[in-house]
Amino acid sequence: MKKGLAILVSIICLALLAGSFTSVAAADKVRGVTDTEIIIGQWGPQTGPAALWGSVARGSGVYFDMINAEGGINGRKIKYVLRDDAYQPAKTKAIAKEFVEDIGVFGVACGVGTSPGMAVRDYLMENKVPWVGPATGSRHWTEPFQKYLFALYPRYADEAYLLTQYAVEKLNKKKIGFFYQNDDYGKEGMEGAKKYLDKKGIKLAAEVPVEVTDTDLKSHALKLKESGADAVIMWVLPKHAATILGQAKAAGFQPQWIASSTLSDAPLMHKLTKGLWEGVIYANFLDIDSPKVKKYLEAQKKFAPNEQNTGVFFLAGFMFVEPLVEGLRRAGKDLNPETFVKAMETIKNWNDWLGHDCTFTAQDHQGMRSIFLSKCGPEGKAEKIADWMTYKEGK
Amino acid sequence: MNFFFDLVIGGLSIGACYALVALAMVIIYKTSEVPNFAQGEMAMISTFIAFTLMSNYGAGFWTSAGITLLFALALGVVLEVAFLRPAKDPSILGLIVITLGAEMILYGLAGWKWGANQVPFPVPFSEYSGISPGGVMITEINIWTFVTSLVLMLLLFLFFRFTKLGVAMKAVQQNHFAAKAMGIPTRRVLSFTWGLSSVTGAVAGMLIAPISTLDPNMMLDPMMKGFAGAVLGGMTSLPGAALGGYLLGLIENFFGGYVSLEFKSVVAFGVIVLILCVKPSGLFVRHFERKV
């Protein structure tokens, strides 16, 4: 009996020893990187209620195709793996597991949605998977600090701060109403607005929440009207933005509407609201007038000629991976998660992309804090009304 | 005071839509005791048909609406024949699950055919202007909603009261076997019930789409609210369900206006629970002993 136990213990020890040897051997080889390839994964809703934003992931695909056609990065080509999570965090989790354990990706790009992203953030970080540019402005990407996570989308709170500041200081609005989706997305926006107003000693004239499933917004519109707000900031879904504009107009309430960057696809919003979007001021994180846009759309004609949605969200798919590719370039031939993070942290005030002033430091991985403002003109044409403005902590 | 009357108008106009959905539910429930959970998706698909006719084929609104109602009738009949009829020895629970399955299929179909994008639904009357007696705005779409729903309810009432088919439907719902023995083609009547319910739902869909947007999710909320309204008024009574729909619209709007917008949507479900505890057969129905 005792002998049997001893044999068992020694077998286990041997097995453990062997295991540690193999893991030492694996450490030499970097997951997702070979001499000729770098594997990058992305999830994005290609089906389901959020499929509209699925074009982000397809945009990234075209950008990688373009980079590969130009010769790749330090002799390596990008192998891009796109998976559909239908905006369901449970599916995102399964995809992340597949990325790490089956496919073995080097890093992850973008990924639409705060809750899908939050479902896998800790898992990816534990496995040291570099993740660049989650396609939402939640603060959870950089608070608390995550070594392998680089956020690009300006934070909702910062964006709302800047929009409110603009409404009060430039538009001379006295009473600001806030119409928000009753979850993290909407609430983070409202926090930013309050942060600015608190400094000025002003209170929001109205805080009107909307649930994702709500259809009838008449009482919401009446509440906003009751408050007498002369400007209303919206942090909602396109559908609710369209509905509230109609209901408010029917109630005879027409304040200056101000919208978050999630509603920055002006032609689309103009169409959806049957023209009511004209005159709405909204934030942008992506420079649609950049000369790069033309080049990117040519690449789209070449690599994805069947793409239907080539608007802001499609281009955002390019924008969110531009710094990723820059980081891979700067990391050089010796590429692993550590050298990549170091390389990313050398990016300072970098402007060779569709965004503005990309900066990462060893303490702060929020790469972009700038927005510019546009006003929707006739036929949904965007008119720039304020150039890039940057949120600075403690200003 | 205008705030109050604005809420009344808002409540009545969304209530009219809830009432139509509630009616659509009750028409089927009365004949087969099955709450049809595919109701919302059936209405959504029909509304998309109207949209496609207008945007892709350049048809006028009224032509499209007419064709859509015919389509809705066919859709209801086909669903009954294809999904419910093949069920062998169906229990009520089994049939409910079938309607849930049909709901998912229709939802998936709409997502595949028209995508998840929201689209505007054009109507030939204004969503923003209309008449304003005493400063209370009643838009053209509000008026159309009131008129259409009332006319449709009147038609349904006349149909059940004075037509042979309507009376046959009532007979089937009261005693299936006796109706069959009396020579009423009960199966055909049941299919037609589905068609009629589907048409009522399609009208609701075409009235809801212009005040919101058209997308595969659009009927999710109105359908639950219509269901709640039907439970509130009484699942076995057409006028009861309609009144329940209106009442729910008003309750919701007053709750949103005076108490809390956060819980506005939850009120409907609170109402269901309350009614099921206090008066399970519904507010406007005499206590109803279950058929043995």
Side-chain angles (χ1 to χ4, degrees):
Chain A
M1 193 60 212
K2 233 179 183 174
K3 203 173 171 191
L5 194 70
I7 291 175
L8 194 68
V9 167
S10 52
I11 287 177
I12 290 172
C13 286
L14 270 176
L16 284 176
L17 209 58
S20 63
F21 271 125
T22 49
S23 64
V24 167
D28 284 332
K29 207 173 139 294
V30 179
R31 181 190 56 231
V33 181
T34 67
D35 287 342
T36 54
E37 263 184 1
I38 306 168
I39 307 177
I40 301 289
Q42 174 166 181
W43 61 84
Q46 305 302 305
T47 56
L52 177 68
W53 295 324
S55 54
V56 172
R58 299 196 295 276
S60 309
V62 172
Y63 185 70
F64 290 140
D65 283 339
M66 197 186 88
I67 294 293
N68 286 342
E70 285 169 2
I73 301 160
N74 303 323
R76 297 187 180 108
K77 299 252 157 118
I78 290 176
K79 191 177 161 200
Y80 178 56
V81 190
L82 167 59
R83 289 284 183 272
D84 175 20
D85 69 346
Y87 208 71
Q88 293 174 21
K91 284 192 185 167
T92 319
K93 251 183 159 153
I95 292 168
K97 229 172 152 67
E98 186 196 357
F99 278 170
V100 175
E101 287 165 28
D102 296 346
I103 301 173
V105 298
F106 170 73
V108 172
C110 318
V112 166
T114 304
S115 36
M118 282 306 288
V120 300
R121 185 191 73 185
D122 294 343
Y123 174 76
L124 292 177
M125 292 307 108
E126 275 160 26
N127 286 287
K128 302 185 179 175
V129 181
W131 178 11
V132 181
T136 86
S138 167
R139 74 164 107 80
H140 297 302
W141 312 131
T142 46
E143 279 174 24
F145 175 79
Q146 310 285 343
K147 186 177 173 192
Y148 299 97
L149 179 43
F150 295 86
L152 291 165
Y153 200 121
R155 280 192 209 160
Y156 295 136
D158 301 355
E159 192 186 323
Y161 184 101
L162 294 170
L163 280 171
T164 316
Q165 186 177 34
Y166 185 85
V168 172
E169 290 174 16
K170 295 276 160 48
L171 301 175
N172 281 320
K173 297 294 175 192
K174 303 278 181 282
K175 297 176 97 178
I176 313 281
F178 209 94
F179 179 54
Y180 65 102
Q181 186 166 312
N182 198 10
D183 61 10
D184 271 6
Y185 158 60
K187 282 179 187 162
E188 281 187 30
M190 193 163 71
E191 263 168 42
K194 279 185 176 165
K195 194 169 173 186
Y196 172 77
L197 291 177
D198 279 351
K199 276 185 194 169
K200 296 268 153 188
I202 313 173
K203 276 211 150 27
L204 279 173
E207 298 174 16
V208 175
V210 59
E211 302 296 324
V212 179
T213 51
D214 278 352
T215 302
D216 170 37
L217 302 185
K218 176 93 185 189
S219 46
H220 300 75
L222 291 174
K223 266 276 193 233
L224 287 168
K225 186 187 176 187
E226 272 282 290
S227 75
D230 49 8
V232 175
I233 304 176
M234 291 183 273
W235 234 263
V236 293
L237 296 175
K239 168 195 177 96
H240 286 144
T243 310
I244 196 76
L245 254 67
Q247 292 285 16
K249 189 173 177 199
F253 174 55
Q254 284 171 287
Q256 174 63 55
W257 295 98
I258 299 172
S260 78
S261 61
T262 47
L263 305 169
S264 60
D265 197 332
L268 187 130
M269 290 307 298
H270 188 269
K271 194 178 136 217
L272 191 57
T273 55
K274 301 175 193 167
L276 287 187
W277 202 250
E278 197 177 320
V280 173
I281 291 173
Y282 55 90
N284 301 272
F285 57 82
L286 184 148
D287 184 9
I288 200 114
D289 297 325
S290 159
K292 283 179 177 290
V293 169
K294 203 170 152 247
K295 183 182 162 197
Y296 291 166
L297 289 178
E298 270 163 24
Q300 172 258 322
K301 287 197 188 84
K302 194 166 152 203
F303 297 110
N306 296 325
E307 180 60 50
Q308 300 283 325
N309 303 322
T310 54
V312 168
F313 298 122
F314 181 69
L315 289 166
F318 289 74
M319 173 188 155
F320 294 146
V321 293
E322 284 171 315
L324 167 75
V325 167
E326 179 66 16
L328 291 171
R329 276 207 187 101
R330 292 191 187 192
K333 197 73 190 158
D334 176 27
L335 179 64
N336 61 50
E338 308 306 322
T339 56
F340 177 73
V341 167
K342 282 221 168 65
M344 286 298 278
E345 285 167 356
T346 64
I347 296 180
K348 301 269 185 287
N349 296 324
W350 182 68
N351 274 314
D352 191 21
W353 66 317
L354 296 180
H356 183 70
D357 272 354
C358 183
T359 303
F360 293 110
T361 68
Q363 293 81 37
D364 184 9
H365 281 181
Q366 177 67 41
M368 179 169 155
R369 292 172 182 273
S370 310
I371 52 167
F372 70 90
L373 304 187
S374 299
K375 191 175 199 162
C376 178
E379 300 308 309
K381 257 190 84 67
E383 292 161 6
K384 195 169 185 174
I385 55 167
D387 208 354
W388 290 107
M389 42 178 98
T390 304
Y391 176 80
K392 286 184 187 71
E393 206 70 61
K395 192 174 75 172
Chain B
M1 206 53 196
N2 272 0
F3 184 64
F4 175 82
F5 286 112
D6 276 331
L7 283 175
V8 172
I9 296 298
L12 285 179
S13 71
I14 193 71
C17 300
Y18 294 164
L20 288 176
V21 178
L23 278 178
M25 282 229 119
V26 167
I27 291 172
I28 290 180
Y29 184 80
K30 273 183 75 138
T31 39
S32 54
E33 295 198 358
V34 176
N36 174 19
F37 284 103
Q39 202 76 61
E41 273 30 271
M42 286 159 69
M44 176 268 291
I45 293 258
S46 302
T47 314
F48 262 115
I49 294 288
F51 170 77
T52 310
L53 286 170
M54 282 189 277
S55 63
N56 291 12
Y57 298 98
F61 176 79
W62 296 109
T63 328
S64 312
I67 298 175
T68 301
L69 294 186
L70 288 178
F71 168 84
L73 183 70
L75 178 72
V77 172
V78 165
L79 279 181
E80 200 276 329
V81 171
F83 286 101
L84 283 105
R85 198 174 285 182
K88 285 219 162 50
D89 296 330
S91 62
I92 299 292
L93 185 63
L95 290 175
I96 293 175
V97 173
I98 291 180
T99 68
L100 276 173
E103 187 258 318
M104 285 173 202
I105 291 173
L106 292 175
Y107 180 77
L109 204 66
W112 165 76
K113 180 72 186 66
W114 291 286
N117 294 11
Q118 284 96 21
V119 288
F121 187 74
V123 281
F125 24 83
S126 167
E127 293 99 317
Y128 322 120
S129 58
I131 51 169
S132 51
V136 178
M137 189 65 184
I138 309 174
T139 59
E140 285 177 24
I141 183 97
N142 288 154
I143 297 171
W144 270 102
T145 310
F146 297 145
V147 173
T148 317
S149 59
L150 288 176
V151 167
L152 194 69
M153 281 169 209
L154 188 68
L155 285 178
L156 282 174
F157 170 76
L158 294 175
F159 173 79
F160 279 110
R161 203 53 182 282
F162 297 111
T163 65
K164 248 187 165 167
L165 187 56
V167 175
M169 279 169 138
K170 282 210 288 197
V172 171
Q173 103 210 358
Q174 271 169 14
N175 194 326
H176 197 91
F177 289 105
K180 208 168 186 176
M182 299 305 282
I184 294 174
T186 51
R187 286 179 140 194
R188 240 178 288 163
V189 167
L190 205 59
S191 306
F192 187 74
T193 311
W194 273 71
L196 191 64
S197 157
S198 172
V199 169
T200 313
V203 173
M206 283 190 281
L207 288 172
I208 293 170
I211 58 160
S212 159
T213 56
L214 178 58
D215 64 87
N217 294 309
M218 92 173 205
M219 286 303 287
L220 234 53
D221 177 63
M223 138 87 200
M224 290 317 286
K225 301 291 171 58
F227 187 35
V231 172
L232 176 64
M235 281 296 278
T236 52
S237 152
L238 288 171
L243 278 174
Y246 281 109
L247 202 57
L248 190 72
L250 286 172
I251 293 176
E252 250 193 10
N253 264 275
F254 282 129
F255 196 84
Y258 290 115
V259 188
S260 153
L261 278 170
E262 258 129 329
F263 293 101
K264 183 189 159 203
S265 280
V266 188
V267 166
F269 307 107
V271 164
I272 293 193
V273 173
L274 196 70
I275 288 298
L276 288 179
C277 291
V278 179
K279 198 162 183 300
S281 50
L283 279 184
F284 306 108
V285 178
R286 267 170 295 142
H287 191 63
F288 163 72
E289 291 294 333
R290 205 183 152 75
K291 281 184 279 183
V292 192

